Amino acid sequence: SFGDIYLGETFSCYISLSNTSRSDLSQAGLKVEVQTQLQRETLDDTAACGASVNRFAPKQTLDRVVRYELKDIGVHILICSASYVDGAGERKTSRKFFKFQVRHV
């Protein structure tokens, strides 16, 4: 839970992508979006800004801080998408969804 969040505040969070495998991965990237009832907005995309990690070693992390001004009340969903290429050359993706409510003051 993110606690009480109100319209007009700035939502801020720290996101860490970690290689927990025992092998190197490649082309690791992270995309962070916020979806509301009205829109979907990209907050960070390492692939789009050229910050993907070519060699993602075991225990290495890719850390980001994202901020988003809360302009709408209601349910918001923080979407974190990780992508990478494994040792066999196969592209893998994973997504996590974090739902939170924005209230009127």
Side-chain angles (χ1 to χ4, degrees):
S1 172
F2 294 115
D4 293 331
I5 303 174
Y6 296 99
L7 186 67
E9 292 183 331
T10 299
F11 173 81
S12 179
C13 70
Y14 172 83
I15 299 166
S16 183
L17 176 64
S18 177
N19 180 358
T20 58
S21 74
R22 294 183 180 183
S23 60
D24 285 352
L25 305 174
S26 61
Q27 300 175 23
L30 180 63
K31 183 175 183 177
V32 182
E33 303 168 283
V34 168
Q35 181 174 325
T36 68
Q37 295 171 347
L38 303 174
Q39 67 179 354
R40 186 171 181 152
E41 185 174 333
T42 300
L43 305 182
D44 195 0
D45 186 350
T46 58
C49 69
S52 293
V53 178
N54 288 329
R55 179 179 172 267
F56 199 41
K59 299 184 182 177
Q60 185 175 350
T61 61
L62 177 59
D63 303 314
R64 302 306 246 199
V65 174
V66 295
R67 291 175 180 80
Y68 176 72
E69 184 180 336
L70 300 167
K71 304 171 206 155
D72 303 309
I73 60 171
V75 175
H76 288 57
I77 303 170
L78 180 69
I79 305 165
C80 300
S81 305
S83 62
Y84 61 92
V85 175
D86 67 12
E90 188 175 340
R91 169 138 317 266
K92 305 275 185 159
T93 59
S94 177
R95 280 186 169 173
K96 289 276 193 175
F97 300 88
F98 303 93
K99 193 181 278 191
F100 60 96
Q101 182 78 26
V102 175
R103 304 180 192 287
H104 195 344
V105 178

XYZ file of all heavy atoms in Angstrom:
825
model
N 0.834 -1.185 0.000
C 0.000 0.000 0.000
C 0.878 1.249 0.000
O 1.907 1.315 0.658
C -0.900 -0.004 1.229
O -1.578 1.211 1.336
N 0.453 2.240 -0.736
C 1.183 3.501 -0.807
C 0.710 4.495 0.245
O 1.205 5.603 0.313
C 1.038 4.133 -2.196
C 1.681 3.324 -3.296
C 0.914 2.742 -4.296
C 3.050 3.145 -3.336
C 1.508 2.015 -5.313
C 3.649 2.413 -4.351
C 2.867 1.840 -5.337
N -0.291 4.125 1.052
C -0.820 5.047 2.056
C -1.831 5.991 1.443
O -2.324 5.774 0.343
N -2.172 7.056 2.153
C -3.136 8.039 1.656
C -2.472 8.940 0.621
O -1.427 9.532 0.882
C -3.669 8.890 2.808
C -4.524 8.081 3.769
O -5.142 7.092 3.318
O -4.566 8.425 4.954
N -3.099 9.055 -0.546
C -2.580 9.876 -1.627
C -3.707 10.795 -2.087
O -4.832 10.342 -2.311
C -2.072 9.009 -2.792
C -1.000 8.029 -2.298
C -1.537 9.871 -3.907
C -0.541 7.035 -3.337
N -3.385 12.083 -2.240
C -4.419 13.062 -2.546
C -4.144 13.811 -3.841
O -2.988 14.002 -4.234
C -4.541 14.060 -1.393
C -5.007 13.401 -0.122
C -4.090 13.038 0.867
C -6.353 13.108 0.077
C -4.513 12.407 2.027
C -6.776 12.483 1.241
C -5.858 12.131 2.210
O -6.282 11.497 3.346
N -5.228 14.234 -4.469
C -5.188 15.037 -5.679
C -4.280 16.251 -5.472
O -4.335 16.895 -4.431
C -6.614 15.500 -6.012
C -6.824 16.240 -7.314
C -6.572 15.303 -8.492
C -8.247 16.765 -7.373
N -3.418 16.539 -6.440
C -2.520 17.683 -6.360
C -1.142 17.343 -5.818
O -0.210 18.124 -5.992
N -1.007 16.199 -5.154
C 0.307 15.785 -4.657
C 1.141 15.232 -5.805
O 0.622 14.935 -6.887
C 0.168 14.714 -3.572
C -0.451 15.200 -2.296
C -0.503 14.123 -1.218
O -0.579 12.931 -1.532
O -0.468 14.516 -0.051
N 2.430 15.087 -5.560
C 3.305 14.429 -6.517
C 3.617 13.043 -5.993
O 4.156 12.882 -4.900
C 4.613 15.223 -6.720
O 4.277 16.513 -7.237
C 5.535 14.517 -7.686
N 3.230 12.037 -6.774
C 3.536 10.646 -6.443
C 4.989 10.412 -6.828
O 5.414 10.737 -7.927
C 2.617 9.716 -7.233
C 2.949 8.266 -7.096
C 2.527 7.556 -5.987
C 3.678 7.610 -8.067
C 2.831 6.209 -5.854
C 3.985 6.265 -7.947
C 3.557 5.565 -6.837
N 5.767 9.870 -5.920
C 7.177 9.611 -6.171
C 7.514 8.229 -5.634
O 7.100 7.877 -4.521
C 8.021 10.678 -5.472
O 9.388 10.445 -5.667
N 8.266 7.447 -6.412
C 8.671 6.128 -5.914
C 10.015 5.716 -6.520
O 10.429 6.201 -7.567
C 7.599 5.083 -6.166
S 7.363 4.640 -7.874
N 10.656 4.817 -5.803
C 11.950 4.253 -6.194
C 11.690 2.849 -6.717
O 11.021 2.047 -6.061
C 12.872 4.227 -4.974
C 14.164 3.496 -5.167
C 15.238 4.125 -5.764
C 14.328 2.183 -4.738
C 16.447 3.464 -5.934
C 15.526 1.512 -4.899
C 16.578 2.162 -5.504
O 17.764 1.505 -5.675
N 12.208 2.541 -7.900
C 12.013 1.234 -8.514
C 13.384 0.634 -8.791
O 14.267 1.295 -9.334
C 11.211 1.355 -9.816
C 9.831 1.945 -9.495
C 11.083 0.015 -10.511
C 9.084 2.411 -10.698
N 13.548 -0.628 -8.412
C 14.824 -1.306 -8.608
C 14.592 -2.631 -9.321
O 13.829 -3.477 -8.854
C 15.507 -1.548 -7.265
O 16.773 -2.139 -7.457
N 15.243 -2.799 -10.468
C 15.223 -4.045 -11.218
C 16.542 -4.750 -10.928
O 17.601 -4.153 -11.072
C 15.082 -3.746 -12.713
C 15.129 -4.919 -13.672
C 13.950 -5.854 -13.424
C 15.119 -4.414 -15.106
N 16.465 -5.995 -10.500
C 17.667 -6.711 -10.088
C 17.796 -8.032 -10.840
O 16.806 -8.744 -11.029
C 17.598 -6.988 -8.578
O 18.710 -7.731 -8.160
N 19.014 -8.360 -11.249
C 19.284 -9.659 -11.871
C 19.557 -10.662 -10.750
O 20.645 -10.689 -10.181
C 20.475 -9.567 -12.825
C 20.782 -10.908 -13.479
O 20.143 -11.918 -13.207
N 21.782 -10.915 -14.346
N 18.572 -11.490 -10.452
C 18.715 -12.486 -9.385
C 19.164 -13.839 -9.920
O 19.312 -14.785 -9.150
C 17.384 -12.651 -8.617
O 16.371 -13.042 -9.543
C 16.993 -11.350 -7.931
N 19.409 -13.933 -11.224
C 19.880 -15.195 -11.795
C 21.391 -15.333 -11.587
O 22.049 -14.414 -11.101
C 19.541 -15.258 -13.288
O 20.390 -14.408 -14.021
N 21.904 -16.458 -11.992
C 23.350 -16.699 -11.875
C 24.095 -16.428 -13.177
O 25.292 -16.665 -13.271
C 23.596 -18.139 -11.445
C 23.101 -18.417 -10.058
C 23.406 -19.807 -9.635
N 22.901 -20.029 -8.291
C 23.052 -21.124 -7.627
N 23.715 -22.141 -8.164
N 22.569 -21.250 -6.418
N 23.377 -15.935 -14.164
C 24.019 -15.683 -15.452
C 23.785 -14.255 -15.921
O 22.862 -13.579 -15.471
C 23.485 -16.672 -16.501
O 22.092 -16.529 -16.640
N 24.648 -13.833 -16.833
C 24.504 -12.515 -17.430
C 23.265 -12.485 -18.307
O 22.927 -13.459 -18.976
C 25.712 -12.185 -18.307
C 26.954 -11.836 -17.513
O 26.861 -11.701 -16.277
O 28.023 -11.691 -18.136
N 22.620 -11.353 -18.301
C 21.510 -11.085 -19.205
C 21.943 -9.934 -20.098
O 22.947 -9.279 -19.813
C 20.264 -10.701 -18.407
C 19.823 -11.692 -17.333
C 18.675 -11.133 -16.517
C 19.440 -13.024 -17.963
N 21.209 -9.676 -21.153
C 21.559 -8.545 -22.012
C 20.310 -7.754 -22.361
O 19.181 -8.214 -22.184
C 22.269 -9.027 -23.280
O 21.430 -9.871 -24.032
N 20.536 -6.543 -22.856
C 19.477 -5.645 -23.284
C 18.379 -5.495 -22.225
O 17.185 -5.525 -22.531
C 18.882 -6.113 -24.609
C 19.896 -6.162 -25.727
C 19.313 -6.751 -26.995
O 18.110 -6.731 -27.199
N 20.164 -7.292 -27.845
N 18.791 -5.339 -20.972
C 17.831 -5.182 -19.871
C 17.264 -3.778 -19.893
O 17.992 -2.796 -20.031
C 18.505 -5.465 -18.537
N 15.952 -3.696 -19.756
C 15.298 -2.402 -19.764
C 14.116 -2.370 -18.824
O 13.595 -3.404 -18.416
N 13.711 -1.164 -18.485
C 12.604 -0.957 -17.564
C 11.709 0.145 -18.106
O 12.196 1.201 -18.520
C 13.154 -0.556 -16.190
C 12.173 -0.283 -15.075
C 11.374 -1.533 -14.723
C 12.915 0.227 -13.849
N 10.403 -0.112 -18.110
C 9.420 0.892 -18.531
C 8.424 1.047 -17.387
O 7.914 0.057 -16.865
C 8.704 0.448 -19.801
C 7.733 1.471 -20.335
C 7.160 1.006 -21.672
C 6.246 2.045 -22.276
N 5.745 1.630 -23.590
N 8.158 2.300 -17.007
C 7.249 2.592 -15.905
C 6.143 3.500 -16.430
O 6.421 4.543 -17.032
C 7.983 3.269 -14.732
C 7.024 3.512 -13.576
C 9.168 2.428 -14.280
N 4.897 3.093 -16.193
C 3.743 3.853 -16.661
C 2.728 4.011 -15.533
O 2.713 3.211 -14.596
C 3.052 3.125 -17.817
C 3.951 2.849 -18.999
C 3.315 1.885 -19.972
O 3.304 0.679 -19.675
O 2.836 2.347 -21.017
N 1.885 5.032 -15.656
C 0.744 5.198 -14.769
C -0.503 5.217 -15.642
O -0.567 5.947 -16.627
C 0.818 6.492 -13.938
C -0.516 6.773 -13.250
C 1.901 6.400 -12.896
N -1.469 4.394 -15.251
C -2.736 4.361 -15.962
C -3.834 4.840 -15.034
O -3.920 4.419 -13.882
C -3.040 2.947 -16.444
C -4.324 2.846 -17.218
C -4.530 1.473 -17.803
O -3.583 0.812 -18.210
N -5.769 1.040 -17.860
N -4.669 5.756 -15.551
C -5.846 6.233 -14.830
C -7.066 5.846 -15.654
O -6.937 5.224 -16.713
C -5.812 7.765 -14.631
O -5.973 8.396 -15.902
C -4.523 8.221 -13.986
N -8.215 6.268 -15.203
C -9.437 5.997 -15.970
C -9.445 6.797 -17.269
O -10.132 6.435 -18.213
C -10.653 6.337 -15.136
C -10.788 5.459 -13.924
C -11.876 5.927 -12.967
O -12.380 7.040 -13.074
N -12.235 5.068 -12.033
N -8.647 7.877 -17.331
C -8.667 8.769 -18.482
C -7.482 8.625 -19.429
O -7.578 8.974 -20.597
C -8.740 10.226 -18.005
C -9.920 10.577 -17.100
C -9.788 12.001 -16.582
C -11.232 10.387 -17.839
N -6.332 8.146 -18.911
C -5.127 8.136 -19.743
C -4.109 7.125 -19.242
O -4.210 6.613 -18.139
C -4.491 9.521 -19.770
C -3.928 9.963 -18.434
C -3.293 11.335 -18.506
O -3.165 11.927 -19.557
N -2.878 11.858 -17.362
N -3.098 6.901 -20.076
C -1.943 6.084 -19.708
C -0.715 6.894 -20.082
O -0.576 7.324 -21.237
C -1.976 4.768 -20.454
C -0.906 3.801 -20.029
C -1.191 2.462 -20.671
N -0.223 1.475 -20.292
C -0.472 0.182 -20.246
N -1.675 -0.267 -20.569
N 0.447 -0.676 -19.904
N 0.167 7.129 -19.109
C 1.322 7.988 -19.331
C 2.607 7.251 -18.966
O 2.698 6.640 -17.911
C 1.180 9.249 -18.475
C 2.258 10.270 -18.715
C 1.999 11.569 -17.959
O 0.849 11.895 -17.672
O 2.996 12.250 -17.663
N 3.603 7.341 -19.846
C 4.908 6.750 -19.578
C 5.718 7.703 -18.714
O 5.900 8.860 -19.075
C 5.659 6.454 -20.890
O 4.876 5.545 -21.665
C 7.024 5.853 -20.619
N 6.202 7.203 -17.583
C 7.014 8.014 -16.674
C 8.498 7.827 -16.933
O 9.290 8.734 -16.713
C 6.694 7.651 -15.217
C 5.224 7.746 -14.798
C 5.077 7.405 -13.325
C 4.659 9.112 -15.104
N 8.890 6.634 -17.352
C 10.296 6.348 -17.647
C 10.342 5.149 -18.583
O 9.548 4.214 -18.452
C 11.068 6.040 -16.354
C 12.574 6.088 -16.539
O 13.045 6.350 -17.658
O 13.290 5.863 -15.551
N 11.274 5.185 -19.518
C 11.467 4.071 -20.441
C 12.940 4.051 -20.818
O 13.402 4.884 -21.595
C 10.582 4.243 -21.675
C 10.626 3.050 -22.606
O 11.485 2.148 -22.421
O 9.799 2.999 -23.529
N 13.676 3.122 -20.231
C 15.129 3.088 -20.455
C 15.464 2.826 -21.922
O 16.465 3.335 -22.418
C 15.814 2.037 -19.566
O 15.253 0.749 -19.831
C 15.670 2.383 -18.096
N 14.648 2.062 -22.622
C 14.918 1.790 -24.038
C 14.754 3.059 -24.867
O 15.558 3.343 -25.749
C 13.989 0.691 -24.556
N 13.731 3.836 -24.571
C 13.468 5.053 -25.343
C 14.518 6.132 -25.113
O 14.785 6.934 -25.993
C 12.082 5.592 -24.999
N 15.112 6.138 -23.906
C 16.111 7.186 -23.626
C 17.544 6.664 -23.730
O 18.479 7.339 -23.313
C 15.848 7.818 -22.255
S 16.176 6.746 -20.854
N 17.715 5.465 -24.278
C 19.058 4.923 -24.498
C 19.774 4.463 -23.238
O 21.001 4.375 -23.217
N 19.023 4.146 -22.183
C 19.639 3.760 -20.915
C 19.496 2.263 -20.611
O 19.700 1.841 -19.482
C 19.038 4.576 -19.769
N 19.160 1.446 -21.618
C 19.104 0.000 -21.400
C 20.501 -0.512 -21.061
O 21.504 0.075 -21.457
C 18.588 -0.720 -22.650
O 17.249 -0.387 -22.878
N 20.555 -1.625 -20.348
C 21.835 -2.191 -19.920
C 22.207 -3.322 -20.880
O 21.486 -4.320 -20.978
C 21.740 -2.718 -18.466
C 23.055 -3.337 -18.038
C 21.323 -1.600 -17.526
N 23.319 -3.155 -21.614
C 23.736 -4.176 -22.581
C 24.160 -5.472 -21.895
O 23.810 -6.553 -22.343
C 24.866 -3.657 -23.463
C 24.371 -2.622 -24.449
O 23.228 -2.677 -24.885
N 25.212 -1.671 -24.790
N 24.924 -5.378 -20.813
C 25.326 -6.556 -20.039
C 24.804 -6.361 -18.622
O 25.252 -5.464 -17.912
C 26.847 -6.705 -20.003
C 27.285 -7.912 -19.188
C 28.819 -8.068 -19.185
N 29.205 -9.104 -18.261
C 29.536 -8.890 -16.974
N 29.540 -7.665 -16.476
N 29.868 -9.889 -16.195
N 23.859 -7.200 -18.232
C 23.213 -7.109 -16.916
C 23.695 -8.298 -16.095
O 23.189 -9.412 -16.200
C 21.695 -7.118 -17.103
C 20.903 -6.587 -15.942
C 21.303 -5.461 -15.240
C 19.728 -7.204 -15.568
C 20.549 -4.963 -14.187
C 18.962 -6.715 -14.521
C 19.374 -5.591 -13.831
N 24.733 -8.072 -15.303
C 25.407 -9.132 -14.552
C 24.576 -9.591 -13.344
O 23.725 -8.856 -12.856
C 26.765 -8.620 -14.074
N 24.859 -10.804 -12.834
C 24.183 -11.259 -11.619
C 24.366 -10.240 -10.485
O 25.446 -9.667 -10.321
C 24.870 -12.576 -11.294
C 25.351 -13.071 -12.627
C 25.745 -11.826 -13.373
N 23.312 -10.002 -9.736
C 23.256 -9.067 -8.607
C 23.308 -7.596 -9.018
O 23.242 -6.727 -8.172
C 24.325 -9.368 -7.565
C 24.185 -10.747 -6.951
C 25.202 -10.967 -5.869
C 25.073 -12.379 -5.312
N 26.066 -12.669 -4.307
N 23.429 -7.309 -10.302
C 23.408 -5.923 -10.765
C 21.983 -5.397 -10.698
O 21.019 -6.147 -10.839
C 23.929 -5.840 -12.199
C 24.045 -4.421 -12.728
C 24.670 -4.377 -14.116
O 25.192 -5.356 -14.627
N 24.580 -3.215 -14.744
N 21.848 -4.088 -10.472
C 20.525 -3.477 -10.427
C 20.417 -2.332 -11.424
O 21.423 -1.737 -11.822
C 20.195 -2.937 -9.017
O 21.144 -1.928 -8.666
C 20.191 -4.044 -7.976
N 19.204 -2.053 -11.800
C 18.858 -0.896 -12.621
C 17.846 -0.122 -11.800
O 16.736 -0.596 -11.570
C 18.261 -1.356 -13.959
C 17.774 -0.278 -14.923
C 18.904 0.670 -15.300
C 17.191 -0.924 -16.169
N 18.238 1.032 -11.297
C 17.437 1.786 -10.341
C 16.903 3.067 -10.969
O 17.619 3.748 -11.698
C 18.276 2.139 -9.109
C 18.858 0.908 -8.450
O 18.119 -0.067 -8.274
O 20.059 0.918 -8.119
N 15.649 3.382 -10.657
C 15.012 4.589 -11.162
C 14.152 5.212 -10.072
O 13.584 4.516 -9.238
C 14.075 4.284 -12.337
C 14.737 3.597 -13.509
C 15.890 4.349 -13.975
N 15.740 4.892 -15.306
C 16.763 5.264 -16.020
N 17.972 5.148 -15.544
N 16.598 5.772 -17.209
N 14.047 6.534 -10.117
C 13.086 7.269 -9.298
C 12.130 7.928 -10.278
O 12.566 8.593 -11.220
C 13.769 8.330 -8.407
C 12.735 9.173 -7.681
C 14.707 7.661 -7.412
N 10.835 7.704 -10.076
C 9.842 8.307 -10.958
C 8.929 9.218 -10.149
O 8.685 8.983 -8.962
C 9.007 7.255 -11.718
C 9.878 6.450 -12.663
C 8.273 6.337 -10.771
N 8.439 10.242 -10.803
C 7.536 11.199 -10.174
C 6.371 11.453 -11.124
O 6.547 11.469 -12.346
C 8.259 12.507 -9.881
C 9.286 12.371 -8.788
C 10.081 13.669 -8.585
N 11.060 13.514 -7.537
C 12.240 12.937 -7.663
N 12.604 12.451 -8.821
N 13.068 12.843 -6.645
N 5.191 11.670 -10.523
C 3.992 11.889 -11.320
C 3.043 12.793 -10.549
O 2.674 12.493 -9.407
C 3.315 10.538 -11.611
C 2.018 10.638 -12.359
C 1.988 10.975 -13.700
C 0.818 10.381 -11.719
C 0.792 11.059 -14.390
C -0.386 10.458 -12.407
C -0.389 10.792 -13.736
O -1.568 10.877 -14.419
N 2.669 13.921 -11.162
C 1.730 14.844 -10.526
C 0.320 14.270 -10.653
O -0.146 13.959 -11.753
C 1.784 16.216 -11.193
C 0.900 17.223 -10.493
C 0.943 18.586 -11.152
O 1.937 18.906 -11.829
O -0.036 19.328 -10.987
N -0.349 14.119 -9.526
C -1.679 13.517 -9.491
C -2.735 14.546 -9.860
O -3.009 15.478 -9.108
C -1.936 12.921 -8.106
C -0.928 11.827 -7.736
C -1.018 11.487 -6.272
C -1.142 10.598 -8.594
N -3.339 14.361 -11.050
C -4.288 15.324 -11.601
C -5.719 14.794 -11.615
O -6.637 15.536 -11.912
C -3.885 15.679 -13.028
C -2.480 16.216 -13.159
C -2.103 16.335 -14.619
C -0.605 16.231 -14.742
N -0.149 15.777 -16.020
N -5.892 13.498 -11.349
C -7.214 12.875 -11.407
C -7.482 12.101 -10.127
O -6.569 11.469 -9.582
C -7.287 11.885 -12.584
C -6.975 12.518 -13.922
O -7.596 13.553 -14.226
O -6.124 11.978 -14.647
N -8.729 12.127 -9.672
C -9.097 11.289 -8.537
C -9.480 9.916 -9.064
O -9.718 9.734 -10.257
C -10.252 11.903 -7.699
C -11.502 12.101 -8.543
C -9.824 13.204 -7.057
C -12.720 12.495 -7.735
N -9.488 8.938 -8.178
C -9.884 7.585 -8.556
C -8.709 6.633 -8.559
O -7.625 6.926 -8.058
N -8.956 5.477 -9.147
C -7.963 4.399 -9.179
C -6.858 4.724 -10.177
O -7.122 5.143 -11.306
C -8.633 3.060 -9.549
C -7.607 1.962 -9.707
C -9.667 2.675 -8.492
N -5.621 4.533 -9.740
C -4.435 4.648 -10.584
C -3.713 3.308 -10.528
O -3.729 2.632 -9.492
C -3.489 5.730 -10.069
C -3.972 7.123 -10.280
N -5.169 7.584 -9.804
C -3.393 8.163 -10.928
C -5.312 8.851 -10.144
N -4.252 9.235 -10.827
N -3.050 2.956 -11.615
C -2.266 1.722 -11.645
C -0.855 2.069 -12.100
O -0.663 2.629 -13.183
C -2.884 0.680 -12.589
C -4.329 0.378 -12.166
C -2.041 -0.596 -12.585
C -5.101 -0.457 -13.161
N 0.123 1.746 -11.252
C 1.531 1.889 -11.611
C 1.933 0.580 -12.289
O 1.774 -0.500 -11.708
C 2.373 2.132 -10.359
C 3.868 2.302 -10.578
C 4.151 3.618 -11.290
C 4.610 2.246 -9.253
N 2.422 0.676 -13.523
C 2.790 -0.507 -14.302
C 4.296 -0.499 -14.510
O 4.839 0.432 -15.106
C 2.074 -0.517 -15.666
C 0.561 -0.392 -15.468
C 2.435 -1.768 -16.463
C -0.191 -0.026 -16.729
N 4.969 -1.521 -14.011
C 6.424 -1.658 -14.156
C 6.688 -2.855 -15.066
O 6.343 -3.993 -14.721
C 7.084 -1.871 -12.802
S 6.796 -0.530 -11.643
N 7.304 -2.609 -16.221
C 7.595 -3.660 -17.197
C 9.101 -3.813 -17.346
O 9.789 -2.842 -17.650
C 6.983 -3.304 -18.551
O 5.608 -3.055 -18.443
N 9.582 -5.019 -17.128
C 11.003 -5.323 -17.301
C 11.166 -6.206 -18.537
O 10.329 -7.084 -18.788
C 11.545 -6.044 -16.076
N 12.219 -5.973 -19.289
C 12.510 -6.812 -20.442
C 14.010 -7.081 -20.490
O 14.807 -6.268 -20.038
C 12.032 -6.160 -21.735
O 12.706 -4.944 -21.937
N 14.370 -8.238 -21.031
C 15.785 -8.615 -21.135
C 15.913 -9.789 -22.094
O 14.919 -10.419 -22.467
C 16.358 -8.988 -19.767
C 15.675 -10.163 -19.109
C 16.139 -11.459 -19.294
C 14.550 -9.978 -18.318
C 15.496 -12.542 -18.705
C 13.904 -11.040 -17.718
C 14.381 -12.324 -17.918
O 13.737 -13.399 -17.337
N 17.128 -10.064 -22.486
C 17.434 -11.237 -23.294
C 18.235 -12.178 -22.417
O 19.247 -11.786 -21.820
C 18.227 -10.846 -24.566
C 18.648 -12.080 -25.338
C 17.403 -9.909 -25.440
N 17.775 -13.445 -22.310
C 18.462 -14.406 -21.444
C 19.679 -15.005 -22.150
O 19.979 -14.662 -23.301
C 17.502 -15.496 -20.946
C 16.981 -16.414 -22.038
O 17.504 -16.390 -23.172
O 16.024 -17.179 -21.753
N 20.386 -15.881 -21.463
C 21.615 -16.484 -21.991
C 21.408 -17.293 -23.254
O 22.330 -17.484 -24.040
N 20.187 -17.792 -23.477
C 19.870 -18.575 -24.673
C 19.445 -17.680 -25.834
O 19.110 -18.169 -26.917
C 18.765 -19.576 -24.358
N 19.452 -16.355 -25.616
C 19.086 -15.418 -26.671
C 17.591 -15.171 -26.789
O 17.137 -14.563 -27.751
N 16.823 -15.637 -25.806
C 15.370 -15.465 -25.851
C 14.955 -14.191 -25.123
O 15.393 -13.936 -24.005
C 14.704 -16.678 -25.189
C 13.212 -16.704 -25.343
C 12.595 -17.976 -24.774
O 13.304 -18.977 -24.608
O 11.395 -17.936 -24.484
N 14.109 -13.374 -25.768
C 13.597 -12.145 -25.149
C 12.525 -12.515 -24.143
O 11.627 -13.284 -24.423
C 13.014 -11.204 -26.197
C 12.258 -10.080 -25.526
C 12.395 -8.693 -26.044
N 13.618 -8.108 -26.439
C 14.399 -7.364 -25.646
N 14.110 -7.198 -24.381
N 15.464 -6.792 -26.123
N 12.659 -11.956 -22.922
C 11.718 -12.205 -21.829
C 11.172 -10.871 -21.336
O 11.867 -9.849 -21.372
C 12.410 -12.901 -20.659
C 13.123 -14.182 -20.993
C 12.189 -15.340 -20.962
C 12.970 -16.624 -21.188
N 12.303 -17.774 -20.722
N 9.935 -10.897 -20.871
C 9.336 -9.711 -20.273
C 8.561 -10.108 -19.018
O 8.103 -11.244 -18.896
C 8.369 -8.993 -21.245
O 7.343 -9.908 -21.624
C 9.085 -8.473 -22.470
N 8.443 -9.157 -18.130
C 7.697 -9.366 -16.896
C 7.047 -8.043 -16.512
O 7.649 -6.978 -16.695
C 8.640 -9.831 -15.786
O 7.943 -9.969 -14.578
N 5.842 -8.111 -15.976
C 5.129 -6.900 -15.566
C 4.613 -7.055 -14.141
O 4.190 -8.134 -13.739
C 3.919 -6.639 -16.459
C 4.214 -6.002 -17.745
C 2.912 -5.689 -18.425
N 3.156 -4.835 -19.572
C 2.245 -4.508 -20.429
N 1.011 -4.941 -20.280
N 2.533 -3.722 -21.440
N 4.631 -5.944 -13.431
C 4.041 -5.860 -12.094
C 3.084 -4.681 -12.098
O 3.385 -3.628 -12.668
C 5.107 -5.631 -11.013
C 5.982 -6.817 -10.752
C 5.298 -7.724 -9.785
C 6.301 -8.736 -9.269
N 5.745 -9.560 -8.256
N 1.942 -4.853 -11.447
C 0.917 -3.820 -11.374
C 0.694 -3.448 -9.914
O 0.543 -4.330 -9.064
C -0.403 -4.332 -11.965
C -0.299 -4.731 -13.411
C 0.068 -6.018 -13.771
C -0.554 -3.814 -14.413
C 0.162 -6.395 -15.103
C -0.462 -4.177 -15.753
C -0.098 -5.472 -16.094
N 0.663 -2.155 -9.640
C 0.439 -1.647 -8.286
C -0.722 -0.665 -8.346
O -0.605 0.404 -8.938
C 1.701 -0.970 -7.745
C 2.901 -1.870 -7.742
C 3.776 -1.878 -8.820
C 3.142 -2.719 -6.676
C 4.884 -2.706 -8.828
C 4.253 -3.564 -6.676
C 5.124 -3.553 -7.753
N -1.837 -1.047 -7.742
C -3.043 -0.233 -7.788
C -3.106 0.652 -6.547
O -2.825 0.195 -5.440
C -4.263 -1.156 -7.831
C -5.552 -0.467 -8.198
C -6.717 -1.447 -8.183
C -6.762 -2.223 -9.462
N -8.025 -3.006 -9.601
N -3.479 1.936 -6.756
C -3.659 2.831 -5.622
C -4.775 3.829 -5.917
O -5.086 4.112 -7.064
C -2.351 3.545 -5.228
C -1.741 4.401 -6.303
C -1.975 5.767 -6.345
C -0.913 3.849 -7.271
C -1.385 6.565 -7.320
C -0.320 4.630 -8.256
C -0.569 5.995 -8.279
N -5.356 4.337 -4.863
C -6.492 5.260 -4.945
C -6.022 6.678 -4.670
O -5.316 6.927 -3.697
C -7.541 4.856 -3.894
C -8.786 5.689 -3.898
C -9.736 5.311 -5.022
O -9.746 4.202 -5.505
N -10.520 6.269 -5.467
N -6.426 7.608 -5.524
C -6.158 9.034 -5.307
C -7.468 9.664 -4.869
O -8.501 9.525 -5.532
C -5.619 9.705 -6.588
C -5.463 11.206 -6.366
C -4.295 9.087 -6.978
N -7.410 10.336 -3.731
C -8.615 10.918 -3.133
C -8.608 12.433 -3.262
O -7.579 13.047 -3.410
C -8.695 10.543 -1.665
C -8.666 9.046 -1.430
C -8.742 8.699 0.044
N -8.440 7.323 0.301
C -9.229 6.293 0.017
N -10.370 6.495 -0.580
N -8.867 5.068 0.294
N -9.797 13.001 -3.159
C -9.950 14.453 -3.137
C -9.650 14.927 -1.709
O -10.032 14.284 -0.748
C -11.370 14.829 -3.537
C -11.541 16.273 -3.889
N -10.651 17.254 -3.586
C -12.528 16.895 -4.566
C -11.068 18.401 -4.028
N -12.232 18.211 -4.633
N -8.953 16.042 -1.581
C -8.557 16.573 -0.271
C -9.778 16.841 0.583
O -10.751 17.354 0.243
C -7.719 17.868 -0.419
C -7.349 18.438 0.922
C -6.513 17.588 -1.248
